[in-house]
Amino acid sequence: MRIALLGATGGIGGHVLGWALESGHTVQALARTPEALHPAPGLTVVQGNALDADSVTEVVDGAQAVVSALGPRGAKAPGLLAGAAANTVVAMAKTAAQRLVCVSAAGAFISTDSNMAWLIKSVLPRVLATQFADVRRMEDVVRASGLDWTLVRASRLTNKPLMGHYRVAPDYPPPGGGKITRADVAHFIAHALTDGTWLHASPALAY
């Protein structure tokens, strides 16, 4: 499979990149700083920004599937996720690519009457209001695209090693689930891509 990857230099994106290359897939990665990615067989790096439509079109060209492992940036890059999603949808409309998997954030959809911890449902939505608003706009763009999309709603991310087992629930994290490693989010993305599962769905991941 030829995969276009946005966010390859990030935590989740790095794990997705490693899995894809080790599994024999070819990857076209978009990176603002190409030298941050080590040369490897099967890897093509396109220099550019996800908010630049031409750069996104270049990296998507020829891909069979697109993965966006970008994370919200808040004040540093307001609207990054929504803008990147809009560029990706337009770029995919120009090619034969139909499969799109985007990393989302479960915290952007937690209501105050949920069974989540007080900190998660009451404090984080205020502290991360800008980032969560960008997440919701990104999901709106993807849902309206007509593509075969999956929105992977990760709970609080950690950098611990891959466990390979976690819980997945539609839309909201399973009861008591508050965190997930970046490695396991990438693990789920790999299976969603290869198995063709969770189409037009927003699975939430947690332990």
Side-chain angles (χ1 to χ4, degrees), residues 64-207:
Q64 297 165 290
V66 180
V67 175
S68 174
L70 297 168
R73 295 292 187 271
K76 293 183 180 179
L80 171 65
L81 298 187
N87 287 339
T88 300
V89 168
V90 170
M92 292 178 71
K94 300 176 181 178
T95 72
Q98 184 70 14
R99 187 72 171 106
L100 174 62
V101 179
C102 295
V103 174
S104 185
F109 303 93
I110 300 300
S111 63
T112 56
D113 60 351
S114 71
N115 61 5
M116 302 299 291
W118 174 82
L119 176 66
I120 295 175
K121 68 183 183 181
S122 299
V123 177
L124 287 185
R126 294 198 296 270
V127 174
L128 301 176
T130 300
Q131 292 92 326
F132 283 172
D134 188 23
V135 169
R136 290 188 289 269
R137 287 194 296 270
M138 178 272 290
E139 285 212 2
D140 289 342
V141 170
V142 171
R143 289 175 183 278
S145 67
L147 298 168
D148 291 333
W149 51 265
T150 302
L151 293 161
V152 183
R153 292 181 175 178
S155 49
R156 182 172 64 87
L157 294 166
T158 74
N159 285 320
K160 292 184 178 180
L162 174 74
M163 294 184 64
H165 56 86
Y166 40 83
R167 294 182 292 164
V168 185
D171 302 321
Y172 305 104
K179 60 184 178 181
I180 187 81
T181 66
R182 290 173 171 85
D184 278 318
V185 174
H187 180 270
F188 178 84
I189 290 172
H191 282 281
L193 277 177
T194 55
D195 297 343
T197 53
W198 293 95
L199 295 179
H200 304 142
S202 47
L205 278 55
Y207 296 123

